[in-house]
Amino acid sequence: MTDPQRVLLGVNIDHIATLRQARGTRYPDPVQAAIEAEQAGADGITVHLREDRRHIQERDVRLLKEVMQTRMNLEIAVTDEMLVFAREIAPEHVCLVPERREELTTEGGLDVLGNQARVQEAVEQLAAQGAEVSLFIDADPRQIEAAKQAGAPVIELHTGHYADTQGAEQAEALARIREGVIYARKLGLVVNAGHGLHYHNVEPIAAIPGINELNIGHAIIARALFSGLAEAVREMRALILSAAAGR
Ligand SMILES: CC(=O)[C@@H](O)[C@H](O)COP(=O)(O)O
Ligand SMILES: NCC(=O)COP(=O)(O)O
């Protein structure tokens, strides 16, 4: 049983694959990164198989399924193609995310409220294959309620606006996330968070009572360029554990 006070760390390895895809080489291999991140203390590995395959490829996910020791969190859009692939892989955890081909990275949360029936159908389909399903949503009470109605046991609150702002605007974003966690916990949802978190903004999020897991990728992979991946994971995990200890 995981310590209820501990905030878990899911390491997103997408951008190892970004570097590989930049030249179409066989290196760096995201599979090697996943093994190294797990050995450094990651509680799980997150990969986002995008429709445009800009980074993670099916090959990566298939190999990861064979070699990973922790828990795979497969991020996918709500499309038939991705749901069929998720059925083949049968990951422990699937996170349904919004996707627009022209986006640089994920821009907002999934609009569960506006796609209730489709999302609920996907949640039921994935749950039937044994996956724990989370919905990547903004900290909007209406979306949180809709996620509950859709039958998802887990949500992941989008921390992008918090990460991209400063001062009063960032404080307001943090307050909205805090309120979202409280509301979601009252509904019985497990609450994760992620997007844009890094070594200088993660602690206030990790300190929020009720947060279960943080999914962090870009900042860890960036730091790994200078410190090595194992050290980058260890440093992030230490920051999160110390911030959560005071909860
Ligand atoms: C949903 C989310 O915020 C990330 O997990 C997602 O993977 C971001 O997309 P890129 O990894 O392509 O930046
Ligand atoms: N769902 C968030 C995630 O997996 C990692 O996002 P980022 O840290 O790469 O922005």
Side-chain angles (χ1 to χ4, degrees):
M1 174 67 184
T2 308
D3 171 4
Q5 290 305 315
R6 198 159 82 79
V7 176
L8 303 175
L9 172 60
V11 176
N12 183 316
I13 56 173
D14 291 350
H15 299 298
I16 294 285
T18 297
L19 185 54
R20 175 190 63 189
Q21 298 304 114
R23 282 287 181 88
T25 52
R26 292 162 62 96
Y27 62 88
D29 194 329
V31 177
Q32 180 181 355
I35 293 168
E36 184 147 337
E38 288 184 322
Q39 289 176 350
D43 296 291
I45 299 295
T46 293
V47 285
H48 183 182
L49 181 69
R50 281 181 169 266
E51 292 175 280
D52 63 10
R53 309 304 194 273
R54 66 180 70 173
H55 41 54
I56 292 292
Q57 308 298 312
E58 284 92 331
R59 167 263 183 206
D60 302 327
V61 185
R62 292 192 175 103
L63 285 180
L64 283 167
K65 180 67 180 170
E66 296 303 315
V67 302
M68 275 180 55
Q69 303 296 314
T70 60
R71 174 176 36 84
M72 180 191 289
N73 173 31
L74 176 63
E75 291 183 337
I76 55 171
V78 186
T79 65
D80 291 342
E81 176 201 15
M82 290 301 163
L83 290 168
V84 166
F85 182 70
R87 189 181 306 122
E88 172 201 332
I89 298 297
E92 293 82 355
H93 193 104
V94 176
C95 183
L96 298 178
V97 302
E99 230 179 74
R100 286 184 325 112
R101 281 179 185 273
E102 60 276 12
E103 66 185 1
L104 182 62
T105 183
T106 302
E107 290 167 345
L110 189 67
D111 181 12
V112 183
L113 195 59
N115 299 281
Q116 189 81 36
R118 177 64 174 135
V119 172
Q120 183 166 334
E121 179 189 23
V123 169
E124 289 168 356
Q125 187 177 323
L126 292 163
Q129 69 184 52
E132 182 185 59
V133 186
S134 68
L135 303 180
F136 187 77
I137 60 174
D138 292 325
D140 175 337
R142 297 164 302 174
Q143 295 294 349
I144 295 170
E145 170 68 29
K148 177 70 177 180
Q149 292 302 320
V154 186
I155 59 173
E156 180 170 332
L157 295 181
H158 192 321
T159 53
H161 186 60
Y162 161 78
D164 293 343
T165 52
Q166 295 179 336
E169 194 175 356
Q170 185 178 56
E172 188 186 317
L174 180 60
R176 200 161 43 248
I177 292 167
R178 278 205 193 92
E179 289 154 16
V181 175
I182 292 168
Y183 183 58
R185 293 297 296 136
K186 282 180 180 167
L187 295 179
L189 291 166
V190 173
V191 186
N192 298 338
H195 195 90
L197 296 178
H198 55 62
Y199 295 83
H200 305 288
N201 70 7
V202 69
E203 291 172 282
I205 299 291
I208 297 174
I211 289 273
N212 169 65
E213 175 178 279
L214 299 181
N215 283 298
I216 304 172
H218 186 264
I220 291 176
I221 304 307
R223 176 157 294 193
L225 295 175
F226 303 102
S227 310
L229 182 57
E231 183 59 19
V233 171
R234 281 193 291 267
E235 287 172 348
M236 182 58 78
R237 194 161 176 272
L239 274 178
I240 292 170
L241 290 177
S242 66
R247 297 197 293 179

